[in-house]
C-alpha cells in the first residue's frame, strides 16, 4: 500500500527518499572504489568498511526500487516469492550490519590496546573468516523467518499496509496461529542487539582504559579520534533501531503512516550517513576523494 493515509502525497514523499537513495548508492560505491584503488587502505579497518558499504547497498536496494515504483507508478503488486525474498534480504542484512559493527569495534580494540600485534592478529585470512561468520550468522538466523512465513495458510486479505514486505506485516496476513513467528522474530532481535551491543561496549571500555592511560592530552585526543567515525555509525544504527522498535512495540496510539515512515527512515538513514561519516572523518578516504575530483577537474 505504500504509506497508508498519505497516498496523495506519495510523489512528494518520494523526493527525500530518492535523494537519500542516490546519496547511499554513490557514497557507498565511492567508498568501495577508493579502497580498491588505494593500496594504503588495504587493511582490516577498510575491509570491514567495504563490508559495511556492500551491506548498505543491498539493504537500500532491497527497499527503494519497489517503494518508488509504488510512489511513482502505483505498481502495488508483488509476487509472494519475491515478497519473501525481499523480507529475507532486509532482515538478513540488518543482522549482518550489526555484526560488521562488532567486527569494526574489535578492530579498533586491537589497534589501540595491542597496536604492535594488530597486523599479526587481524591478517587477511582472519578478516575473511570474520566476514564469513557475519554472513553465516545473518543468513542462518533469518532463514526461519522465511521458512515459517512460507508454511502459513493465507486466506485473509493480501494487502500489506507498508512500503515493503516487513516480517510481521506479512505473517499477520496468515489465517493461523503466528505466535511462533512472532516470538522467534522478537527473540532474534533481542539476541542480536543485546549480544552485539555488549561486545561493542566491552571493546570500548577497554579502549577508553587504554586511551586514559596515555601520557599526554594530545595523544589521548588523537587516539580517540580514530574511533569517532565508528562511534557515529554505531549511534546512527542502534538509535534508529531502538526508536523504530519502541515505536512499533509500544506506539499503539501512533498513526500507521508514522510507523511506516519511521521503519523506512531506520533502513535508509544509516545507509546514507555511513559513507558521509567515513568520508568526512577518515583523512585517507577524504584526501583520496579530493585527489580524485581534482584530477578529474584538471
Amino acid at each position: 500500500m505504500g504509506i497508508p493515509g498519505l497516498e496523495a502525497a506519495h510523489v512528494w514523499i518520494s523526493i527525500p527518499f530518492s535523494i537519500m537513495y542516490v546519496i547511499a548508492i554513490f557514497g557507498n560505491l565511492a567508498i568501495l572504489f577508493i579502497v580498491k584503488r588505494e593500496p594504503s587502505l588495504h587493511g582490516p579497518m577498510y575491509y570491514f568498511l567495504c563490508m559495511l558499504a556492500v551491506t548498505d547497498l543491498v539493504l537500500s536496494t532491497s527497499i527503494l526500487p519497489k517503494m518508488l515504483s509504488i510512489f511513482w507508478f502505483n505498481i502495488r503488486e508483488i509476487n509472494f516469492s519475491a515478497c519473501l525474498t525481499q523480507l529475507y534480504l532486509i532482515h538478513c542484512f540488518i543482522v549482518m550490519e550489526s555484526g560488521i559493527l562488532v567486527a569494526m569495534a574489535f578492530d579498533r580494540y586491537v589497534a589501540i590496546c595491542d597496536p604492535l600485534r594488530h597486523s599479526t592478529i587481524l591478517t587477511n585470512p582472519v578478516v575473511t573468516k570474520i566476514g564469513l561468520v557475519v554472513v553465516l550468522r545473518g543468513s542462518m538466523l533469518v532463514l526461519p523467518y522465511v521458512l515459517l512465513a512460507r508454511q502459513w495458510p493465507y486466506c485473509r486479505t493480501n494487502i500489506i499496509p507498508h512500503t515493503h514486505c516487513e516480517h510481521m506485516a506479512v505473517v499477520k496476513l496468515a489465517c493461523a496461529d503466528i505466535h511462533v513467528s512472532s516470538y522467534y522474530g522478537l527473540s532474534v532481535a533481542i539476541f542480536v542487539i543485546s549480544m552485539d551491543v555488549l561486545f561493542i561496549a566491552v571493546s570500548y571500555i577497554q579502549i577508553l582504559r587504554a586511551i586514559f592511560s596515555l601520557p599526554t592530552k594530545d595523544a589521548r585526543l588523537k587516539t580517540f579520534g580514530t574511533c569517532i567515525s565508528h562511534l557515529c555509525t554505531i549511534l546512527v544504527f542502534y538509535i534508529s533501531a531502538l526508536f523504530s522498535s519502541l515505536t512499533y512495540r509500544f506506539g499503539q496510539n501512533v498513526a500507521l503512516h508514522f510507523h511506516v515512515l519511521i521503519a523506512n527512515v531506520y533502513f535508509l538513514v544509516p545507509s546514507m550517513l555511513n559513507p558521509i561519516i567515513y568520508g568526512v572523518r577518515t583523512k585517507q578516504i577524504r584526501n583520496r576523494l579530493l585527489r580524485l575530483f581534482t584530477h578529474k577537474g584538471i
Side-chain angles (χ1 to χ4, degrees), residues 80 102 166 181 251 256 264 282 297:
F80 184 59
V102 174
E166 196 272 332
S181 285
L256 180 58
N264 284 294
T282 308

Side-chain angles (χ1 to χ4, degrees), residues 26-287:
F26 282 101
N28 286 295
L29 286 176
I31 294 287
L32 293 171
F33 176 78
I34 289 167
V35 173
K36 184 177 185 298
R37 290 289 298 271
E38 187 62 52
S40 65
L41 301 181
H42 292 179
M45 173 182 167
Y46 299 101
Y47 291 149
F48 290 134
L49 181 57
C50 286
M51 294 178 198
L52 189 67
V54 171
T55 302
D56 286 334
L57 284 169
V58 175
L59 197 54
S60 56
T61 304
S62 299
I63 297 171
L64 254 294
K66 179 58 188 174
M67 186 166 75
L68 293 178
S69 74
I70 297 170
F71 290 169
W72 292 345
F73 309 112
N74 203 34
I75 302 174
R76 298 170 184 268
E77 296 81 14
I78 186 169
N79 179 273
F80 184 59
S81 296
C83 184
L84 292 181
T85 302
Q86 186 188 50
L87 183 157
Y88 180 76
L89 288 174
I90 291 169
H91 292 279
C92 178
F93 278 85
I94 280 289
V95 174
M96 284 186 199
E97 182 148 347
S98 185
I100 292 166
L101 293 177
V102 174
M104 296 173 89
F106 178 65
D107 170 68
R108 291 297 82 211
Y109 162 74
V110 176
I112 292 171
C113 297
D114 201 356
L116 296 178
R117 297 179 59 212
H118 182 254
S119 58
T120 56
I121 293 173
L122 284 170
T123 59
N124 286 349
V126 170
V127 171
T128 303
K129 288 174 184 175
I130 291 172
L132 286 173
V133 169
V134 168
V135 171
L136 286 173
R137 186 186 74 151
S139 303
M140 298 307 293
L141 283 176
V142 177
L143 185 60
Y145 283 26
V146 177
L147 298 178
L148 288 169
R150 198 175 189 86
Q151 76 169 9
W152 303 129
Y154 293 89
C155 54
R156 295 174 183 169
T157 179
N158 61 348
I159 297 172
I160 301 173
H162 219 299
T163 55
H164 56 268
C165 292
E166 196 272 332
H167 176 230
M168 287 309 298
V170 173
V171 298
K172 279 181 179 178
L173 303 180
C175 46
D177 185 354
I178 58 165
H179 281 96
V180 175
S181 285
S182 179
Y183 290 147
Y184 181 76
L186 184 61
S187 300
V188 168
I190 292 171
F191 169 75
V192 169
I193 292 176
S194 60
M195 291 298 293
D196 290 358
V197 169
L198 177 64
F199 280 122
I200 290 170
V202 169
S203 296
Y204 271 96
I205 288 169
Q206 297 301 317
I207 287 169
L208 289 173
R209 287 178 61 187
I211 288 172
F212 286 121
S213 67
L214 293 173
T216 66
K217 183 180 178 181
D218 286 344
R220 289 194 289 270
L221 289 174
K222 185 177 179 182
T223 305
F224 185 70
T226 64
C227 301
I228 294 294
S229 298
H230 182 240
L231 282 171
C232 289
T233 304
I234 288 169
L235 289 174
V236 168
F237 181 79
Y238 287 111
I239 289 175
S240 300
L242 180 64
F243 188 64
S244 177
S245 178
L246 290 176
T247 305
Y248 187 83
R249 300 285 173 188
F250 304 109
Q252 285 83 4
N253 297 323
V254 177
L256 180 58
H257 64 262
F258 185 77
H259 281 290
V260 176
L261 281 170
I262 290 298
N264 284 294
V265 167
Y266 163 52
F267 288 128
L268 297 172
V269 167
S271 299
M272 176 191 70
L273 288 182
N274 289 344
I276 295 174
I277 291 167
Y278 275 93
V280 171
R281 288 292 314 170
T282 308
K283 183 179 178 181
Q284 295 91 326
I285 292 176
R286 186 174 67 247
N287 290 345

